[in-house]
Amino acid sequence: MLDIQTIREKTDLVKQGIQNKNVQIDFEAILKLDQARRDVIAEVEVLKHDRNVVSKDVATRKRNKEDASDLINKTREIGQRIKVLDDKQREVEAQLHELLLQVPNLPHATTPVGMEASENPVVKEWGTRYQPDFKLLTHLELGDSLGLFDFPRGTKIAGPGFPLYTGHGAKLERALINFMLDFHVDKHAYTEVLPPVVSNAKSMSTTGQLPKFEDDMYKIPQDELYLIPTAEVPVTNIHQGEIIPEENLPIRYCAYSACFRREAGSYGKDTRGFLRLHQFNKVELVKFTHPDNSYDELEKLRRDAEDILEALGLEYRVIELVTGDLSFAAAKCYDLELWAPGEARWLEVSSCSNFEDFQARRGAIRYKPGAGGKVQLLHTLNGSGVATPRLLVALLETYQQADGSVLLPDVLGPYMGSAGLHLK
RNA sequence: GGAGACGUGGCCGAGUGGCUUAAGGCGGCGGCUUGCUAAGCCGUUGUACGUUUUGGCGUACCGUAGGUUCGAAUCCUACCGUCUCCGCCA
């Protein structure tokens, strides 16, 4: 959510930012409601002040056993007018709030202006292309022959897009999750959390999934819960409504969770194998930072995610999202993409975003300056560190051998245990 | 799932319709004292919104949302949460 005061005082700047994000917003309606709200507050507060003054007189007279019926009649009338104005204020504020929840975050000044994903600049490339002289197999062919997963049976159990991992495939999936969690905890000083995989409407609203993207999520109407599309939701809401002492910042969490996405409207795209799923596993990084250094923290966050890919020896590139490709809540975002040799294409495995105070305002997440002074909104950031399905794809395809086996990188040794690194 | 108890500031805790501008204590902050030492004394204390001549002024907030009343922390209703006991359960 944007600050209504910013919208009021820097209207042109806000309009330009939203336009760069390629979103249509009726700011005139917002400003009109804002004015109406302030008018009604000014009016009702005068009345409430009057009522408080007269009520005190009533109390004094009653104590002195004097008659107060004239004053009581007077305040009765004031009270009725207050009730009408209170209702009006409630209504206007509800309308205004509803509109404000629809407004996306503004892009940061350093985010390149552009309308389409094809304009996203590549800002970094790492690693060397895996080009052996035998014919490369896809992860599906490898998984099939090695018995790592069973898509037909996953479909039988739940439906397409719900993967069933089997044997060493299940072991490898678990190994990757544990490897990434340990890496971020031990090398990057994140605190591990294991959150609920459902969240309520309030939490979904904090991070920006609601109200706009309700149809993208799995709902449990009986209990008014949603399956989380990312651990960002429960983890960011850990500090919802809290005031954090400045000296505790930055707070860094990493969390494994299963993620659930309906992927409505994307049928037909990437339906094969692991490229797009309704349920997948992800290790997520979430930071709560001081507003002054959130952009430094974004660079570090991205670096933390890159470290995982480098430790696994996988070729990747980093792209920076242009304003029009930025997600609803983000002010700036990097995507990390892995090269999948069998698929012969780049696969997005991580998005690292700074939301500035957008989520913090929706969730009332604030910090108290150490030197005293006003409580202020902090900045939230998050990034995948990273999502497993496409990581698994790139890993299997990059480490495949001429005989159809897969020789995994040494860093996974402690995690594969008796299954070993050579899948054959 | 059933029965009961409870929800007040950073924390403890008083308050059952107006003397509350939420007592008192703890903690925090500032100052004084440095001859009573494991201290004492004085002052201060949250959040949001509106307004502002930037000094302030005003309004709201006692789990949440409504309601009754001239007036609600206090009375009523619903919901949420916590605790205890019973049932069920990995």
Side-chain angles (χ1 to χ4, degrees):
Chain A
M1 200 157 65
L2 299 182
D3 183 12
I4 182 62
Q5 199 177 324
T6 306
I7 296 176
R8 188 190 305 145
E9 290 169 6
K10 297 176 181 169
T11 310
D12 291 340
L13 206 72
V14 170
K15 281 182 179 172
Q16 183 62 54
I18 299 302
Q19 190 184 319
N20 287 344
K21 231 172 170 177
N22 205 12
V23 173
Q24 308 303 319
I25 296 291
D26 185 356
F27 283 105
E28 306 317 315
I30 289 173
L31 291 170
K32 206 171 149 191
L33 280 171
D34 174 49
Q35 188 60 53
R37 170 178 173 274
R38 287 187 293 153
D39 289 346
V40 72
I41 285 174
E43 197 179 346
V44 76
E45 284 193 353
V46 170
L47 292 176
K48 284 180 177 175
H49 179 61
D50 291 349
R51 182 179 68 183
N52 287 345
V53 170
V54 178
S55 279
K56 240 169 235 176
D57 292 345
V58 172
T60 308
R61 286 203 199 172
K62 292 258 178 183
R63 232 175 288 129
N64 297 337
K65 311 280 192 219
E66 293 169 13
D67 176 52
S69 51
D70 58 327
L71 295 182
I72 287 173
N73 287 334
K74 189 174 160 190
T75 37
R76 182 177 290 138
E77 191 210 331
I78 294 178
Q80 280 159 4
R81 289 167 65 197
I82 287 174
K83 185 172 287 184
V84 171
L85 291 171
D86 271 348
D87 287 345
K88 188 176 171 191
Q89 183 184 342
R90 248 196 301 278
E91 191 189 321
V92 168
E93 287 185 343
Q95 286 176 13
L96 179 60
H97 190 68
E98 195 181 326
L99 288 187
L100 286 175
L101 285 177
Q102 309 275 346
V103 181
N105 200 4
L106 294 171
H108 187 247
T110 59
T111 295
V113 176
M115 285 300 116
E116 292 184 15
S118 59
E119 300 170 60
N120 293 338
V122 176
V123 298
K124 177 176 179 177
E125 294 177 279
W126 188 92
T128 49
R129 185 64 44 98
Y130 184 54
Q131 290 172 309
D133 52 12
F134 57 86
K135 184 179 182 300
L136 286 164
L137 301 177
T138 66
H139 67 289
L140 286 176
E141 295 164 324
L142 290 164
D144 234 17
S145 61
L146 298 174
L148 303 180
F149 29 77
D150 186 339
F151 282 100
R153 288 197 171 105
T155 301
K156 179 170 71 178
I157 296 164
F162 291 93
L164 170 67
Y165 297 81
T166 52
H168 288 168
K171 179 97 179 181
L172 177 55
E173 178 74 1
R174 190 155 54 85
L176 287 171
I177 294 166
N178 285 332
F179 162 70
M180 292 190 281
L181 283 171
D182 286 350
F183 201 92
H184 292 306
V185 169
D186 296 339
K187 295 194 160 59
H188 299 147
Y190 286 78
T191 301
E192 183 177 348
V193 292
L194 186 61
V197 293
V198 296
S199 290
N200 57 31
K202 169 64 195 168
S203 295
M204 288 295 175
S205 174
T206 296
T207 39
Q209 276 73 26
L210 289 180
K212 283 200 73 174
F213 305 105
E214 177 148 28
D215 290 343
D216 296 343
M217 294 189 291
Y218 289 98
K219 273 182 269 188
I220 309 170
Q222 195 173 4
D223 298 294
E224 294 182 79
L225 292 169
Y226 299 81
L227 291 182
I228 58 171
T230 159
E232 163 192 356
V233 177
V235 177
T236 303
N237 278 283
I238 286 174
H239 295 297
Q240 181 212 110
E242 296 185 8
I243 298 171
I244 297 164
E246 183 179 4
E247 60 265 28
N248 292 2
L249 301 179
I251 295 173
R252 290 179 278 261
Y253 292 122
C254 71
Y256 154 73
S257 86
C259 302
F260 303 89
R261 300 185 182 180
R262 292 188 64 227
E263 299 293 351
S266 62
Y267 288 111
K269 278 190 275 182
D270 298 334
T271 47
R272 294 181 313 124
F274 281 115
L275 299 186
R276 187 176 298 275
L277 297 167
H278 288 308
Q279 177 181 336
F280 62 95
N281 296 309
K282 181 159 62 65
V283 169
E284 183 77 357
L285 306 172
V286 176
K287 288 188 183 183
F288 300 81
T289 80
H290 192 284
D292 290 349
N293 53 29
S294 64
Y295 279 92
D296 291 340
E297 293 290 345
L298 175 62
E299 297 302 316
K300 286 189 207 160
L301 179 66
R302 182 191 121 188
R303 186 65 228 162
D304 293 338
E306 288 177 0
D307 280 348
I308 291 285
L309 308 182
E310 293 184 17
L312 290 168
L314 298 170
E315 180 189 357
Y316 71 91
R317 67 177 189 179
V318 180
I319 62 174
E320 186 173 355
L321 269 55
V322 295
T323 52
D325 197 28
L326 223 46
S327 70
F328 180 73
K332 188 181 183 72
C333 179
Y334 296 107
D335 277 359
L336 273 54
E337 298 183 335
L338 283 176
W339 178 255
E343 293 282 339
R345 57 184 284 198
W346 294 101
L347 301 176
E348 181 189 330
V349 290
S350 175
S351 276
C352 301
S353 309
N354 187 355
F355 304 99
E356 300 188 358
D357 64 13
F358 187 83
Q359 294 179 330
R361 182 171 293 106
R362 292 163 84 102
I365 311 171
R366 296 170 293 175
Y367 73 94
K368 188 165 188 61
K374 239 176 102 61
V375 172
Q376 295 192 24
L377 295 169
L378 46 70
H379 283 192
T380 60
L381 300 84
N382 67 56
S384 339
V386 300
T388 58
R390 295 173 186 164
L391 173 64
L392 191 68
V393 169
L395 193 72
L396 292 175
E397 294 184 2
T398 300
Y399 286 97
Q400 61 179 297
Q401 308 297 308
D403 63 357
S405 66
V406 173
L407 189 56
L408 296 169
D410 289 340
V411 288
L412 292 177
Y415 297 95
M416 289 304 289
S418 58
L421 290 171
H422 200 175
L423 308 179
K424 53 190 172 185

